Amino acid sequence: MKFTVEAFHWLQANVAKLGNIRLSSEELEYLQSHCPYLNQQYLDYLQDFRLRPSDHVELTFESSSEKCDDKVLGSIHMGVKGLWVETILFEVPLLALTSEAYFRFCSRDWNHDGQREKACRKGLSLLENGCLFSEFGTRRRRDYRTQVLVLEGLKKAEDIATGKGWKGKLTGTSNVHFAMKTGLPAVGTVAHEWFMAVAAITNDYENATETALRYWIGTFGEGVLGIALTDTFGTPTFLKSFSSTIPAFTAAVPGKTATLASSAASSGLSTTDSLSSTETPSHAPPTEGEKGPEQRSYAQAFSGIRQDSGNPAEFVKIMRNFYDKEGITEKKTIVFSDSLNIELCLEYKQQAEDAGFQPTFGIGTFFTNDFVHQSTGKKSTPLNIVIKLSSANGNHAVKISDNIGKNTGYPATVEEVKQRLGYVEKTWENGNEEKRWGTEAEDGI
């Protein structure tokens, strides 16, 4: 994809404005009342936190011409560098702004007409067929206004469905800002970045997944944010750790007190002292053999898993076999989130229900960037853009996934990690990343 100089300058200006964002008192009250898994120490930190794009974001434009003209095309190169805690929140706004820059200046043959109605029709189709789904479309949305219209359409569909007594449900949005504005629940799952960073920081890929799971449970506790992401280093590698027993010291203090991710949870230290003295996984590995009193595994503790790459039908079979082998009879949830549309949601819903799972769907780009060209009626294809962790602690970070098309990271490190983990390469005929959102030649929907 190519951007104009004009688009680049707009992107530069709006990235700089991210430094003006601060948590308002109203937003703080919302987080305190609606997101109890965020402890007060973190919220205190967030109140004073500011993104610093001038320090952390590198944006450059590589022109394809020597002309000095706002319409000249070129490539945008973007990088984010700094402490993880100070840079992790850049991903979503940077992607959303990049998409908006492109469709504001480079691909302009579209308008917002019918977006609310289109979203309502989609919502009605899903709800009538009993689907549980949430809106996950911030990162690749066409622009802010589109997401407003989409959520209005989905809310209208939900009202109609409620009146008709349909079993489907709009379960929430992953955008906390819109959750506060619309009254929808703020929902989401753990990201690949969590597992990628733990692995890169420790350079212990063999145990990184279990370490990441342990600290997640230790921070949030059981039954909270309980959907596990399986494919960062391939689902088979994940399941080896998922079946492990949770160590005894992995516990979070109940309620809104300090979140303690190590043995400090049982100490007499004040919340501030214990937080500051808690060691990271790389500095304080678990004591071998120390297990939880109930001998529960991560698979038991997590309420379900997310499928984000590879063949969904095969994934459902793998997970059914896994839970059966573990003797877990509790009904678990599968969240499908990979390039969804209505047809795929209904197909995956049937497959998951037949195997005894509760299917839910995190639907993003299909909601917030589904447009046609005004002049032709042909599909206006969304940008296939992501931001992934490239390195941490001086080590390359990689993601392997369940489909070769979603491998990211330094090639030599990807190959090394595959060998270390005994990863078996997989492809899926519908996993072509270049065509995941269709092509410009297709008719609009």
Side-chain angles (χ1 to χ4, degrees):
M1 106 209 50
K2 297 292 183 181
F3 289 78
T4 63
V5 172
E6 186 179 23
F8 173 68
H9 287 158
W10 181 91
L11 182 59
Q12 274 187 314
N14 282 275
V15 168
K17 291 177 183 177
L18 295 176
N20 300 329
I21 297 173
R22 61 173 297 169
L23 190 71
S24 70
S25 57
E26 181 185 10
E27 289 166 340
L28 175 62
E29 291 174 4
Y30 174 85
L31 294 176
Q32 289 172 328
S33 60
H34 289 78
C35 305
Y37 42 83
L38 302 179
N39 64 49
Q40 191 58 48
Q41 280 74 13
Y42 176 72
L43 293 178
D44 290 343
Y45 166 80
L46 203 59
Q47 275 189 282
D48 296 325
F49 176 77
R50 300 291 183 276
L51 291 169
R52 303 201 313 273
S54 60
D55 294 334
H56 295 137
V57 181
E58 299 176 358
L59 272 176
T60 59
F61 184 81
E62 184 179 343
S63 176
S64 57
S65 170
E66 295 182 359
K67 295 180 181 180
C68 295
D69 188 320
D70 273 353
K71 304 303 181 184
V72 167
L73 295 174
S75 301
I76 292 178
H77 301 274
M78 179 183 294
V80 182
K81 183 182 296 185
L83 292 176
W84 194 14
V85 68
E86 295 176 347
T87 57
I88 190 172
L89 295 180
F90 274 111
E91 176 190 356
V92 174
L94 287 179
L95 286 171
L97 287 171
T98 300
S99 180
E100 183 169 351
Y102 181 80
F103 289 106
R104 179 182 286 254
F105 296 99
C106 308
S107 180
R108 303 173 63 177
D109 185 22
W110 60 275
N111 61 38
H112 293 97
D113 291 352
Q115 281 295 305
R116 185 188 294 107
E117 294 75 17
K118 181 185 287 188
C120 183
R121 290 194 300 271
K122 292 175 179 178
L124 288 173
S125 294
L126 293 165
L127 293 166
E128 185 174 12
N129 283 281
C131 292
L132 309 181
F133 66 93
S134 54
E135 184 273 317
F136 272 21
T138 301
R139 295 184 303 167
R140 299 189 190 95
R141 69 190 182 194
R142 185 128 317 194
D143 60 7
Y144 180 93
R145 185 184 174 196
T146 299
Q147 197 165 12
V148 170
L149 294 172
V150 164
L151 284 166
E152 288 176 355
L154 294 177
K155 288 277 288 181
K156 182 178 180 180
E158 182 184 39
D159 290 342
I160 294 172
T162 299
K164 291 179 177 293
W166 292 345
K167 294 183 179 180
K169 184 176 178 60
L170 173 60
T171 57
T173 172
S174 62
N175 187 310
V176 183
H177 164 73
F178 282 118
M180 186 176 77
K181 288 177 68 70
T182 63
L184 288 170
V187 297
T189 71
V190 63
H192 294 104
E193 181 176 346
W194 173 240
F195 295 94
M196 293 171 67
V198 170
I201 291 168
T202 62
N203 195 27
D204 181 10
Y205 282 86
E206 291 79 2
N207 298 295
T209 297
E210 199 274 329
T211 300
L213 290 170
R214 182 188 325 129
Y215 273 78
W216 189 266
I217 287 282
T219 299
F220 299 113
E222 295 186 25
V224 182
L225 302 178
I227 299 296
L229 182 58
T230 68
D231 68 333
T232 308
F233 307 118
T235 293
T237 294
F238 173 85
L239 294 180
K240 293 176 184 177
S241 297
F242 206 40
S243 61
S244 301
T245 303
I246 304 172
F249 55 78
T250 303
V253 174
K256 297 182 179 179
T257 51
T259 296
L260 306 170
S262 75
S263 54
S266 58
S267 75
L269 295 171
S270 70
T271 57
T272 303
D273 289 341
S274 57
L275 280 170
S276 63
S277 62
T278 298
E279 290 285 358
T280 62
S282 57
H283 296 151
T287 302
E288 183 67 29
E290 190 170 3
K291 303 298 182 183
E294 298 181 16
Q295 296 291 294
R296 283 170 60 79
S297 69
Y298 296 104
Q300 291 172 306
F302 278 85
S303 58
I305 61 275
R306 175 157 72 102
Q307 193 274 336
D308 196 54
S309 66
N311 186 331
E314 181 181 341
F315 179 84
V316 169
K317 292 177 183 177
I318 289 172
M319 294 311 306
R320 182 70 277 153
N321 290 336
F322 169 80
Y323 282 120
D324 289 346
K325 181 180 178 182
E326 294 296 310
I328 297 173
T329 58
E330 175 191 356
K331 190 171 188 176
K332 298 291 187 177
T333 295
I334 297 182
V335 179
F336 296 94
S337 60
D338 187 20
S339 308
L340 298 175
N341 57 34
I342 293 170
E343 180 181 349
L344 293 177
C345 287
L346 299 186
E347 178 184 337
Y348 302 162
K349 178 178 183 290
Q350 189 64 57
Q351 293 168 350
E353 289 178 342
D354 288 347
F357 292 104
Q358 172 61 64
T360 68
F361 305 92
I363 306 173
T365 308
F366 178 64
F367 280 153
T368 60
N369 207 330
D370 185 9
F371 286 79
V372 298
H373 293 293
Q374 283 182 274
S375 60
T376 64
K378 303 291 185 180
K379 186 175 181 64
S380 173
T381 307
L383 300 185
N384 185 15
I385 52 176
V386 296
I387 290 178
K388 291 298 180 188
L389 192 69
S390 61
S391 66
N393 199 35
N395 299 320
H396 292 295
V398 302
K399 178 173 81 76
I400 298 175
S401 83
D402 288 331
N403 176 35
I404 191 171
K406 282 194 162 187
N407 287 186
T408 63
Y410 187 63
T413 306
V414 170
E415 291 306 313
E416 177 194 344
V417 171
K418 287 179 179 179
Q419 292 181 19
R420 287 170 62 175
L421 298 180
Y423 177 86
V424 178
E425 200 69 76
K426 291 185 177 182
T427 59
W428 178 43
E429 60 181 356
N430 295 324
N432 187 338
E433 288 295 296
E434 294 181 1
K435 297 182 178 180
R436 66 182 306 184
W437 306 121
T439 65
E440 293 286 338
E442 294 177 346
D443 290 331
I445 299 173

